[in-house]
Amino acid sequence: MNFFDLSAARQPLLLGNVWDAASAQLAQKLGYRAIGTSSAAMAASLGYEDGEGMSFDELLFLVKRIRASSSLPLTVDIEAGYGNSPAEIANNIVQLLELGVSGINIEDSRVMAGERQLLSAAQFAAGLSALCTALGDHRKSLFINVRTDTYLLQCKDAKTDTLSRAALYQSAGADGLFVPCLTEPADISAIVAGTVLPLNLMCMPELPDFARLAQLGVKRISMGNAAYQYQQQTLGDVLAGVKAQDSFAALYSRPG
């Protein structure tokens, strides 16, 4: 089943966010229906900051290993596209499609001088439309999930801005809408009602449970880099325990 079908399913698609071959294999073993890369987790695993700190070649290598290690449908977070023109971004996407990728996330903000900044809706929509044209026939097999950072960047009147952007992005060729940091049920319901694009939300402490999200009409739920951060915190606790106890007991005292 591809991302177009998965995103139209009655129950929300729970996406296993992965960053390497091992996490992809684990997600498949545990029965996830699809996986997606977390750009922040992938970057951190290589020692980079998020925001295209790693190169596209490094991303491509990681995706190649993930794709070789799992048969699940895979969507890749390409951040702002790793390119300065629609043609360059399209070339990057074609390389991912050749590996068997089913979809991408592309975002309407960029990290500039260390600060994430939201692009104008019109500017991003024009670029997205040009990107879809540049992809040509490849566009048919690619699910484009557009991430808007209106809530992430705490924009004034984020709900209205999100709905306005959703309309523009749909017209420009988006297949899905991803709104990280959106957690309030009233806003979720309003955005679901205000766009035909399937809504993707991300793991946050305040996010309602999956049953409630299904009632609200959410179609996709992802983890971002939360699982990676949890793993790193757990590893840090274990390494600290080894050092503090002058023994390896902490490595063999897993809870449960």
Side-chain angles (χ1 to χ4, degrees):
M1 186 178 291
N2 61 35
F3 270 95
F4 292 91
D5 296 328
L6 288 168
S7 294
R10 180 173 298 178
Q11 287 299 114
L13 171 65
L14 175 60
L15 201 63
N17 280 117
V18 302
W19 53 91
D20 60 11
S23 55
Q25 289 173 328
L26 185 58
Q28 179 157 338
K29 179 181 178 182
L30 293 173
Y32 281 80
R33 292 186 292 161
I35 53 177
T37 64
S38 162
S39 64
M42 291 172 77
S45 74
L46 297 178
Y48 296 113
E49 295 293 326
D50 194 21
E52 299 190 6
M54 64 180 170
S55 69
F56 181 74
D57 285 342
E58 289 168 315
L59 180 147
L60 196 65
F61 173 78
L62 288 172
V63 171
K64 186 179 296 186
R65 293 307 312 143
I66 289 168
R67 182 70 286 169
S69 302
S70 169
S71 60
L72 292 175
L74 170 65
T75 183
V76 172
D77 183 351
I78 64 168
E79 303 192 65
Y82 287 86
N84 294 314
S85 69
E88 190 176 352
I89 296 171
N91 180 63
N92 291 340
I93 292 171
V94 169
Q95 292 181 70
L96 293 170
L97 287 171
E98 289 171 348
L99 297 178
V101 167
S102 301
I104 60 160
N105 277 7
I106 189 165
E107 59 205 33
D108 65 0
S109 68
R110 286 181 177 269
V111 176
M112 293 177 275
E115 181 181 355
R116 185 170 292 279
Q117 300 178 33
L118 196 65
L119 301 177
S120 79
Q123 176 187 1
F124 180 81
L128 178 61
S129 180
L131 172 61
C132 290
T133 298
L135 284 168
D137 288 342
H138 294 290
R139 176 68 187 89
K140 300 174 185 176
S141 58
L142 178 73
F143 189 97
I144 298 180
N145 200 39
V146 172
R147 178 180 123 178
T148 182
D149 283 343
T150 47
Y151 280 83
L152 175 68
L153 295 175
Q154 300 179 330
C155 295
K156 184 179 179 181
D157 202 0
K159 180 177 67 176
T160 300
D161 194 3
T162 299
L163 287 169
S164 175
R165 286 172 180 269
L168 281 173
Y169 299 168
Q170 178 197 343
S171 296
D175 299 306
L177 180 69
F178 179 27
V179 190
C181 299
L182 169 61
T183 60
E184 286 295 324
D187 282 12
I188 294 169
S189 181
I191 291 169
V192 167
T195 179
V196 299
L197 296 175
L199 180 61
N200 179 181
L201 297 183
M202 187 180 75
C203 170
M204 295 290 291
E206 305 85 4
L207 193 69
D209 64 28
F210 299 163
R212 179 64 174 137
L213 292 177
Q215 292 173 350
L216 292 169
V218 173
K219 289 299 183 181
R220 190 159 121 183
I221 311 164
S222 51
M223 302 173 184
N225 65 335
Y228 174 81
Q229 289 179 320
Y230 185 89
Q231 174 192 260
Q232 290 299 105
Q233 181 61 58
T234 302
L235 176 60
D237 292 344
V238 169
L239 292 179
V242 169
K243 190 171 183 293
Q245 298 168 24
D246 284 331
S247 82
F248 290 122
L251 288 169
Y252 300 100
S253 58
R254 299 182 184 90

